[in-house]
Structure formats: C-alpha cells, structure tokens
Amino acid sequence: MKVKANSFAFCGGAFGDEGKGRIVDEYVNHLTKQGKIVVYRDNGGANAGHTVTLPTGERVALHQLPSAMFSPKATVVLGKGMVIHPSDLLTEIEEVRIIAKNQKVATIMIDEMAVLSLDTHRAFEAALKMWQNGSKGSTGRGISPAYADVLLRHPLRMRDLLDFDEKKIQEHYELYAALCKGLGEELADMKVPTLAETGVQQVGSLTEFTTRLQAQATQLRSYIHDVSTMVAETWHDPDCSYVFEKAQAIGLDARWGVYPDVTASNTALDGIYSATEGIIDHHAIAVRAAVIKATYMSSVGTRVLPTMMDEALAIRIREDAHEYGATTKRPRDIAYLDLVALRYYAQVGDINYHVLTHMDISYLDTPIKVCVGYTLNGKKVDYRPDQEYLLKVKPVYKEFAPWSMKDIQAARTYDEIPEPAKIFLAFVAKQLKTKILMITTGPKRDQSIWVRD
Ligand code: IMP
C-alpha cells in the first residue's frame, strides 16, 4: 500500500480531552503554508469539545466543527461517520463567524450521508438515563440513540434535510414520542441541552419540532454534499495535505474502551476507512498519532480507572490544568498515567506516534507516578477493556523525578527541556512502542515542541 506522505491523523490515546483540538489547529496552520489541505472528521458529534486558542489569546471550544475552522485555506469535512445536531452546528458556525470578524474561515463540507442527531435523541437519552437510575454516563447529547438509529435501520441523514420529507420526520418524531412514553416521559414537554444562549430547548409538538428543523435545513443546505468525489480526487493529489481529526478517544471506543462507559462511534483510526467508504485506508496515513496527557490521565463518566489518584494531588492538577469538561463543564476525574492501558490502545489503534500534552504539569515536591503493570491475585496480568475486570486489578507503579513547571514552560526546543523530562519521555516512548511526535509545555501557541526527526 502506498503511504501518503503528507497525511496526518490525530486521535485521543486515552479517555478524551487530551488536547487534540490545539494540536490539529497548530498542525493545520503549519501545513496551510504549504498548499491545499483537507481536514476530515469522521466520528462523534456534539459530545466533543475541542478547544483552540487563537493568536489573540481567545479560547474557542468547537464541538462538531473540525479545529481548523480558522484556517481560511482549509476545507473541513464533517464525514459520514458523524452524528450531526443541526441547530448546535448552526450556533457553532455563527460563533466562528463572529470570532473571525467576518474574515474568511475554512470551507465547510458536510457528507450527505452523515446521520442526524436531534432533540428527540437527546430527550430519549435523558429518559433512558433516569430509567438507568440516573447514571452520570453520557454527555446527554443524544449520541448513542442517533447511532442506534443506523443499526435499527431508521436513521435520518443530512440528505433528508435537502428534500425535507415531512412524512419521514413525522415517523421519526412519533417513534421517539412512543419510546419516551414507554419510559414515562412526554416527549413534547421534555427540555434538552442546546448550544444556543438559552441553554435548554423544549422539544415541543410535532409541528414545532418540524418547523424548527425545516428552518435549520434551509440554513444548512449549501454545506451538504456528496463529498466522496472530492475526497477521492484530493487524497490522490500529492499537493493536497490531509489531517484527520478524530473525536473522543480509543479508551472510549465501544470495542476497545472501558466497557460499559463507552461512546457509540468508532473512535480509532479504522473509522476513517468506513466513513470514506474505503477510499482512504488508515494504514496509508503516514503519521497516525495518539494524543495523551504526559504526566496523568483524566476521565469523565462512570468509569473507574485502576490508577485513580489521591484526591489532594488530583485537586491540584484539576485546578492547574483546568480539568473541567468543555461540553458539560463537569469536573474530570484525575488518574496516574497508566502505560498498560495506553500501550493497549496504541496497539489496537494502529498508532505509530504519540503527542504528549501538559508536560508542564509536574511539581518539584511530588514524584511522577506511572503504572507499568497490573497484578491480579498476585499474578502479573494484561489489559482488558472491561470495567469489572479493571476494578479487580492492582496497578504496579514506577516513580520518576519531577521537573520544574516554570523551566519546561520556558523551553522552546527539545534540548532546552529539563533532563528529568527527557528521561521520562524516553521511558514512555519505549513502553508505548511508538515514537514521540510532539510535546506541549503550556497553553500558549508557542509552547509546543516538535520531537519527530
Ligand atoms: P456519549 O458520547 O455522550 O454517549 O458518552 C459516553 C461516554 O463517553 C461518557 O462517559 C462521556 O463522558 C464520554 N465522552 C464522550 N465524549 C467525550 C469527550 O469528548 N471527552 C471525554 N469524554 C467523552
């Protein structure tokens, strides 16, 4: 297979929120100096929160739009594997337009086959959550019901907005009204989260729901295309670079993540193959990078990681690294770096590079603890993506000398980073069996260091 030299994929290597948005934004900025670029997102929906810091210092959280929105030369694709919430997407497009002060932004193309994720899905997910004893599981953005529509053979797709078949919309609404009723809820009365300023939206009657959707369809129509021809042409064009921005992370994948608190989309790179209908084999992508936090891990949801951290240190990290959900604002759980889990995710995800963010989260008074193995009943055991199993294993830790936060934040080249950080990086790369592509040493744009030769 011919590898495309100027192709780069970034996925979450742990449990999400690793800082992918910033990496994609910086990479794209660098690549647009070289010519044409397509930025392709193939999974997830409004559950993602990718934070980008603009040259002005302004921070923008993007949810459904790829992080290259502020690169006017880029074409961003919302691919077939995504579930798209039209009203949240329009809010986001408007926000980007305001922040860009009407200057040109990236060109948006939405695959007509991408699946719709609507207020009906959010309402049903909320009703289901109450029925499941109020588990704090999902982000509440109706992601899994929208994906379930595909498996149950009744999805609504972006192309349904083009011809706006009211009968199909009515059938969809009535199905979800019945599902909610079965769980003791009245769909029309239910309030669901929205990105719009109000924060909540009442689903409303069939007429209200349809009227809203019709107005959104009118606004979105010009973005919806059959993107496969464009993808086939540009992928084989040596002058066009490709960046793939995955959402969520391999640790949240339903096949590879900590089951059952997983998301419904395909979070590993093989999702690119199915979203592009075989045009792009992910093995042909030159850089297949997983983004992880360097000195700790974070997680939101019901999963309990084997390496959960002492709360005093967790609080310190949570405040210093702003570990609160970009979509839900929930405080994130903080855990010691688990190299056993990360190695498994890299292996099942076909990863050849890692990007390590938050290298500055290191305290001179506290050694850096990383998990290098598990035992179960006194015997060494491997990773298995199953919560019940992970509750039973005991992590084996190794400690590393910390480095000064201030010194590493000031470093601008690999040579300038403190010696203990170099020792730590070499150990992590060896354990993960990949190479290190890049590290970040602080939140600012110039606080990223390329390690790849
Ligand atoms: P869902 O994707 O809303 O169905 O949520 C399923 C699980 O994935 C929950 O534990 C969420 O907290 C988690 N999750 C979904 N999206 C993200 C993300 O972007 N970052 C971190 N966790 C996420």
Side-chain angles (χ1 to χ4, degrees):
M1 178 188 316
K2 195 165 174 287
V3 170
K4 182 176 171 69
N6 49 351
S7 61
F8 312 86
F10 296 95
C11 70
F15 303 101
D17 311 313
E18 299 95 349
K20 294 180 290 290
R22 170 201 176 161
I23 309 296
V24 169
D25 174 49
E26 288 188 18
Y27 228 97
V28 170
N29 259 311
H30 169 67
L31 289 169
T32 45
K33 292 184 189 110
Q34 297 168 17
K36 277 185 289 183
I37 180 161
V38 174
V39 181
Y40 192 105
R41 169 146 166 211
D42 74 283
N43 77 298
N47 49 349
H50 296 170
T51 307
V52 173
T53 306
L54 302 179
T56 53
E58 206 170 347
R59 281 161 68 87
V60 190
L62 296 168
H63 303 277
Q64 300 184 87
L65 290 172
S67 301
M69 279 314 297
F70 297 95
S71 297
K73 283 196 204 155
T75 297
V76 302
V77 179
L78 282 72
K80 180 181 175 184
M82 284 187 71
V83 289
I84 296 174
H85 188 272
S87 126
D88 275 5
L89 181 60
L90 285 165
T91 306
E92 216 173 300
I93 292 173
E94 178 60 8
E95 216 173 300
V96 165
R97 200 184 58 77
I98 293 169
I99 292 167
K101 303 196 172 52
N102 286 326
Q103 297 289 309
K104 183 167 173 3
V105 290
T107 304
I108 302 170
M109 290 182 87
I110 306 173
D111 192 320
E112 62 179 7
M113 293 301 281
V115 171
L116 286 175
S117 159
L118 302 171
D119 293 342
T120 39
H121 296 114
R122 293 183 177 185
F124 172 62
E125 189 170 52
L128 191 60
K129 201 163 163 178
M130 286 183 251
W131 183 79
Q132 290 166 333
N133 297 325
S135 87
K136 59 177 177 162
S138 85
T139 59
R141 284 351 184 234
I143 303 299
S144 49
Y147 280 111
D149 276 359
V150 178
L151 298 181
L152 293 168
R153 295 179 290 271
H154 54 233
L156 290 173
R157 297 190 187 266
M158 289 308 288
R159 71 174 173 200
D160 294 320
L161 294 184
L162 294 176
D163 48 16
F164 211 79
D165 181 343
E166 281 198 36
K167 188 166 166 280
K168 221 169 172 180
I169 310 289
Q170 181 178 345
E171 282 167 4
H172 168 86
Y173 182 94
E174 283 169 355
L175 170 66
Y176 276 85
L179 290 171
C180 289
K181 207 177 198 69
L183 293 169
E185 300 293 330
E186 205 56 55
L187 176 64
D189 299 339
M190 291 185 77
K191 292 193 170 79
V192 294
T194 166
L195 256 195
E197 233 171 290
T198 50
V200 283
Q201 167 72 53
Q202 185 165 338
V203 179
S205 65
L206 169 64
T207 310
E208 287 163 332
F209 174 78
T210 310
T211 309
R212 260 194 339 264
L213 194 56
Q214 194 146 29
Q216 292 153 11
T218 307
Q219 287 177 273
L220 282 173
R221 204 157 277 156
S222 63
Y223 300 114
I224 305 169
H225 303 279
D226 164 10
V227 299
S228 54
T229 312
M230 184 283 283
V231 170
E233 277 170 18
T234 50
W235 176 249
H236 296 291
D237 175 358
D239 296 328
C240 182
S241 303
Y242 254 80
V243 172
F244 298 90
E245 178 178 22
K246 298 287 306 184
Q248 287 77 47
I250 305 176
L252 298 175
D253 189 287
R255 300 157 301 167
W256 317 117
V258 181
Y259 196 86
D261 194 357
V262 290
T263 193
S265 72
N266 192 333
T267 62
L269 301 184
D270 54 355
I272 295 165
Y273 187 75
S274 42
T276 60
E277 296 171 349
I279 298 171
I280 301 175
D281 183 330
H282 61 288
H283 296 103
I285 301 169
V287 170
R288 303 185 302 278
V291 184
I292 57 174
K293 283 164 185 165
T295 57
Y296 66 96
M297 297 201 301
S298 71
S299 157
V300 277
T302 53
R303 80 190 66 77
V304 180
L305 303 180
T307 61
M308 284 305 186
M309 197 177 267
D310 316 335
E311 197 47 21
L313 182 56
I315 290 171
R316 196 173 178 190
I317 293 178
R318 193 176 294 125
E319 295 315 310
D320 284 345
H322 309 291
E323 289 294 356
Y324 293 90
T327 303
T328 58
K329 314 284 178 250
R330 285 181 289 181
R332 297 176 183 145
D333 293 332
I334 309 292
Y336 294 113
L337 197 70
D338 183 347
L339 293 174
V340 183
L342 296 177
R343 185 167 52 234
Y344 173 85
Y345 297 149
Q347 179 214 319
V348 297
D350 275 321
I351 297 304
N352 58 1
Y353 285 94
H354 274 88
V355 172
L356 273 68
T357 64
H358 298 76
M359 273 298 283
D360 54 327
I361 300 300
S362 164
Y363 306 103
L364 283 176
D365 57 7
T366 312
I368 296 172
K369 234 164 109 166
V370 299
C371 168
V372 291
Y374 293 161
T375 60
L376 183 61
N377 302 325
K379 283 202 189 106
K380 188 173 175 298
V381 290
D382 288 330
Y383 190 78
R384 277 172 53 201
D386 169 33
Q387 182 69 78
E388 277 186 39
Y389 172 79
L390 292 172
L391 284 175
K392 291 188 223 144
V393 299
K394 278 204 169 53
V396 178
Y397 289 106
K398 183 172 165 69
E399 290 191 355
F400 284 83
W403 49 89
S404 147
M405 185 186 275
K406 248 171 83 186
D407 287 355
I408 200 158
Q409 282 179 342
R412 289 294 173 272
T413 64
Y414 179 77
D415 285 343
E416 285 170 17
I417 70 172
E419 205 51 40
K422 286 182 191 161
I423 294 169
F424 177 79
L425 282 175
F427 181 80
V428 169
K430 193 164 175 215
Q431 289 279 313
L432 297 182
K433 301 182 180 163
T434 60
K435 291 186 199 154
I436 293 178
L437 180 69
M438 180 188 186
I439 59 171
T440 69
T441 58
K444 296 199 197 113
R445 271 186 169 221
D446 61 349
Q447 287 174 312
S448 40
I449 296 174
W450 299 92
V451 182
R452 183 194 181 196
D453 39 23

